[in-house]
């Protein structure tokens, strides 16, 4: 719509915003009318119309098999568009048009904003399946007529009331028509079923909807007064009503003022009981998972503290060092669970974890070694983050212990690069130090120390990636990890 309006018309940004507001709401008019809607806007020179938006009904057959958006027609070819634009009134005169052997009734509704008519809605009704209308269809058509008059008068849509049509109730979900006093004139079968779910035992017709709704809701006091007013349809609002354990319904009130006078309201409603129940279950599940991660983190920290205490009592230097390594391994897993306990899903921002692992391992450096990180690990699944944190701990620990002696200075750099498109991406991690380098004839794939065995097992077995350890270009050692990961969604 933006491109067509800017390219062909003289409307300004505020006019365009009004059209966007209208288009966000006009599914309601289309469904109530059982008709297709096409929005025509005059071009800058006034010689043609351009169609900038189109809507098909959910309640009836379409009149247009083709997409009409972007079509240009000269002024004069469709007299009803000219009359609606020039005279600012709804035009219904004329015989039905025949399109591919289908009779179509055409009406034109001017789109007014303040004192100006911005364009015209062509309402096209497929008459092929016309029959004697039911009470529901008559209510729909009368409500559509009222809304059309409000559009022609510039009273609909409601400014500042942008509606998310994907989340709001639709005409087919349930509809109630109220008179000016808020008394129900008509309730569709779906609407009546939704109120029965709340606990209503009688019919709705003839009852004051606000008072009836307030009686079904468990709350009392000032909330009741607000609920009575909302459910009476005096203002354009969306709200929900919950009746204890019985059910939850979502309502949207639309005041009807076709000639500037409040004649009643439309109330669209939908039974969202099961939806809200599932949402509560998911919230409870998420909270339980976070609590489990929190408790696992606490238990791991307790284990680490016991190992650290045991290490201090060891007389053997080799045994003491083995326990300290275990403390660091447990600590790296605890960091992941701590991060998971603060998220709403089983995915974590790994950059913070990498920085904390780097700081934790640097504390045991025998020399004055500084660590740094470049690039982004990004967001990783928990089943990748946990083994990767252990791999990072082992590789860094190995670099600091075997690459530098007591008192030696140096650096260790961790770099990460994400790549790949679609669902499957790659994560390349490089850990490089400027220490003494690898021993002569060293084979990382066959080296027998426990740390490298853990790295190989986790990288190749659990993460499904590759691991290599080679001499750095100038000095020191470079470790390269290539891992498959789920691509980030931006």
């Amino acid at each position: 719509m933006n491109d067509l309006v800017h390219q062909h018309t003289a409307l300004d940004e505020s006019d365009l915003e009004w059209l966007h507001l209208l288009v966000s709401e006009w599914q309601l008019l289309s469904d109530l009318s059982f008709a297709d809607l096409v929005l025509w806007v005059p071009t800058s020179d006034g010689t043609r119309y351009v169609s900038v938006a189109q809507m098909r009904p959910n309640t009836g057959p379409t009149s247009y098999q083709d997409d009409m958006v972007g079509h240009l027609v000269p002024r004069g070819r469709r007299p009803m568009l000219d009359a609606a634009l020039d005279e600012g009134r709804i035009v219904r005169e004329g015989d039905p048009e025949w399109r591919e052997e289908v009779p179509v009734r055409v009406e034109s509704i001017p789109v007014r904003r303040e004192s100006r008519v911005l364009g015209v809605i062509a309402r096209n009704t497929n008459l092929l399946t016309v029959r004697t209308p039911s009470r529901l269809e008559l209510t729909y058509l009368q409500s559509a007529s009222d809304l059309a008059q409000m559009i022609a008068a510039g009273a609909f849509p409601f400014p500042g009331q942008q509606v998310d049509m994907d989340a709001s109730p639709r005409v087919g979900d349930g509809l109630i028509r109220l008179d000016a006093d808020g008394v129900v004139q008509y309730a569709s079968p779906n609407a009546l079923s939704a109120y029965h779910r709340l606990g209503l035992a009688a019919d709705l017709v003839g009852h004051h909807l606000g008072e009836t709704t307030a009686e079904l809701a468990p709350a009392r006091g000032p909330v009741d007064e607000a609920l009575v007013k909302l459910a009476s349809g005096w203002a354009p609002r969306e709200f929900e009503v919950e009746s204890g354990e019985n059910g939850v319904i979502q309502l949207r009130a639309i005041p009807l003022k076709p000639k500037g006078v409040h004649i009643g309201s439309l109330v669209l409603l939908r039974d969202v009981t099961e939806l809200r129940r599932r949402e509560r279950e998911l919230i409870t599940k998420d909270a339980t998972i976070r609590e489990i991660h929190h408790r696992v983190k606490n238990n791991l920290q307790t284990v680490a503290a016991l190992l650290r205490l045991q290490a201090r009592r060891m007389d053997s230097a080799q045994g003491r060092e083995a326990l300290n390594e275990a403390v660091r391994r447990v600590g790296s897993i605890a960091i992941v669970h701590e991060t998971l306990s603060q998220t709403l899903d089983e995915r974590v921002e790994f950059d913070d974890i990498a920085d904390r692992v780097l700081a934790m391992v640097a504390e045991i450096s025998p020399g004055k070694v500084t660590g740094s990180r470049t690039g982004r690990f990004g967001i990783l699944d928990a089943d990748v983050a946990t083994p990767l944190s252990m791999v990072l701990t082992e590789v860094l620990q190995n670099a600091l212990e075997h690459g530098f002696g007591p008192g030696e200075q140096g650096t260790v750099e961790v770099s990460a690069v994400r790549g790949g498109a679609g669902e499957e991406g790659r994560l390349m991690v490089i850990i490089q130090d400027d220490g003494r380098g690898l021993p002569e004839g060293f084979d990382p794939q066959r080296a027998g120390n426990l740390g490298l065995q853990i790295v190989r097992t986790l990288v190749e077995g659990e993460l499904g990636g590759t691991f290599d350890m080679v001499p750095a270009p100038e000095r020191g050692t470079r470790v390269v990890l290539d891992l498959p990961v789920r691509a980030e969604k931006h």
Side-chain angles (χ1 to χ4, degrees):
M1 182 192 291
N2 287 2
D3 293 340
L4 290 170
V5 168
H6 290 146
Q7 181 180 354
H8 295 286
T9 77
L11 299 182
D12 59 25
E13 290 301 321
S14 60
D15 294 332
L16 180 57
E17 184 60 32
W18 183 261
L19 295 184
H20 275 295
L21 189 60
L22 171 67
V23 168
S24 73
E25 293 272 26
W26 71 343
Q27 180 74 64
L28 173 63
L29 177 63
S30 177
D31 289 346
L32 290 172
S33 304
F34 308 97
D36 291 74
L37 307 178
V38 179
L39 177 57
W40 297 93
V41 179
T43 57
S44 301
D45 57 11
T47 62
R48 296 181 296 175
Y49 297 96
V50 57
S51 58
V52 299
Q54 179 179 359
M55 178 57 66
R56 292 183 172 91
N58 293 318
T59 52
T62 183
S63 303
Y64 285 110
Q65 298 299 326
D66 300 326
D67 188 1
M68 295 296 297
V69 175
H71 282 218
L72 290 161
V73 297
R75 185 178 172 88
R77 179 175 295 178
R78 301 190 178 184
M80 295 177 70
L81 292 181
D82 300 337
L85 184 70
D86 297 338
E87 300 172 22
R89 65 179 180 89
I90 298 175
V91 181
R92 295 191 175 94
E93 299 87 358
D95 297 326
E97 297 180 2
W98 286 84
R99 300 176 188 161
E100 300 179 356
E101 300 183 354
V102 175
V104 177
R105 181 174 63 243
V106 181
E107 303 165 89
S108 295
I109 304 168
V111 177
R112 185 180 298 276
R113 177 175 177 257
E114 297 174 348
S115 61
R116 297 165 47 238
V117 176
L118 306 182
V120 179
I121 294 175
R123 181 163 56 177
N124 304 268
T125 306
N126 187 325
L127 300 178
L128 196 60
T129 58
V130 168
R131 61 185 186 278
T132 302
S134 65
R135 177 77 187 281
L136 179 145
E137 291 168 329
L138 288 173
T139 303
Y140 277 21
L141 293 172
Q142 180 57 56
S143 301
S145 176
D146 294 335
L147 281 178
Q149 292 183 55
M150 292 171 65
I151 291 173
F156 187 84
F158 303 109
Q161 290 292 321
Q162 189 80 28
V163 175
D164 181 2
M165 292 307 297
D166 290 333
S168 294
R170 299 197 176 209
V171 170
D173 295 327
L175 178 142
I176 296 175
R177 173 86 186 215
L178 306 180
D179 66 14
D181 297 322
V183 176
V184 178
Q185 294 179 310
Y186 175 79
S188 72
N190 284 347
L192 194 58
S193 295
Y195 264 83
H196 286 166
R197 185 71 178 265
L198 286 184
L200 180 70
D203 193 0
L204 273 172
V205 175
H207 291 78
H208 190 279
L209 185 65
E211 295 174 356
T212 301
T213 305
E215 290 173 1
L216 295 172
R220 293 290 180 266
V223 176
D224 273 5
E225 297 178 9
L227 184 59
V228 169
K229 190 169 184 180
L230 285 172
S232 299
W234 283 94
R237 293 287 187 273
E238 279 197 31
F239 56 99
E240 287 189 3
V241 176
E242 182 170 359
S243 178
E245 298 297 324
N246 293 327
V248 184
I249 59 172
Q250 181 184 16
L251 300 98
R252 181 187 176 203
I254 304 167
L256 297 176
K257 301 178 181 180
K259 296 180 180 179
V261 178
H262 181 76
I263 64 166
S265 305
L266 281 182
V267 177
L268 306 181
L269 65 154
R270 177 171 56 187
D271 184 350
V272 293
T273 305
E274 293 304 314
L275 178 62
R276 295 296 176 259
R277 182 183 63 81
R278 292 193 195 101
E279 287 177 351
R280 284 193 290 267
E281 287 178 353
L282 287 173
I283 291 172
T284 302
K285 180 181 177 182
D286 289 341
T288 302
I289 291 173
R290 289 198 299 272
E291 177 63 21
I292 289 172
H293 284 303
H294 180 71
R295 293 189 182 188
V296 170
K297 182 263 297 183
N298 288 343
N299 291 339
L300 289 172
Q301 288 180 338
T302 301
V303 171
L306 292 172
L307 291 174
R308 194 177 294 111
L309 183 62
Q310 185 66 37
R312 291 172 185 167
R313 295 172 176 265
M314 290 285 290
D315 295 329
S316 168
Q318 186 176 3
R320 187 163 52 251
E321 181 54 33
L323 287 175
N324 285 332
E325 286 183 5
V327 168
R328 288 187 287 274
R329 288 168 184 146
V330 172
S332 66
I333 302 174
I335 291 173
V336 176
H337 282 282
E338 181 179 4
T339 305
L340 286 169
S341 70
Q342 300 167 4
T343 63
L344 295 176
D345 56 15
E346 290 292 285
R347 309 195 77 196
V348 295
E349 178 67 59
F350 196 80
D351 294 320
D352 179 58
I353 294 174
D355 291 341
R356 293 174 65 179
V357 168
L358 188 59
M360 178 182 68
V361 175
E363 293 177 359
I364 57 95
S365 170
K368 297 179 181 179
V369 181
T370 58
S372 63
R373 175 181 61 84
T374 60
R376 282 189 69 246
F377 286 86
I379 297 175
L380 299 176
D381 291 335
D383 55 3
V384 174
T386 301
L388 182 56
S389 68
M390 289 193 66
V391 168
L392 196 57
T393 300
E394 296 298 334
V395 174
L396 288 170
Q397 186 169 294
N398 191 73
L400 294 175
E401 288 186 358
H402 301 289
F404 303 94
E408 290 184 357
Q409 294 185 347
T411 60
V412 177
E413 182 178 350
V414 178
S415 64
V417 178
R418 291 289 288 264
E423 287 296 318
E424 191 69 21
R426 306 293 298 183
L427 171 63
M428 181 75 72
V429 183
I430 298 175
I431 302 102
Q432 182 168 313
D433 65 70
D434 57 0
R436 63 188 66 166
L438 297 173
E440 189 73 25
F442 179 81
D443 183 0
Q445 301 303 327
R446 296 182 179 274
N449 77 64
L450 178 60
L452 290 182
Q453 288 181 22
I454 291 174
V455 170
R456 283 198 301 269
T457 300
L458 292 176
V459 171
E460 298 171 1
E462 191 160 345
L463 295 173
T466 61
F467 156 74
D468 198 11
M469 179 181 286
V470 297
E474 297 181 1
R475 181 187 175 188
T477 304
R478 172 182 288 181
V479 175
V480 181
L481 309 174
D482 185 5
L483 312 172
V485 294
R486 198 202 311 182
E488 288 188 276
K489 290 180 172 61
H490 298 286

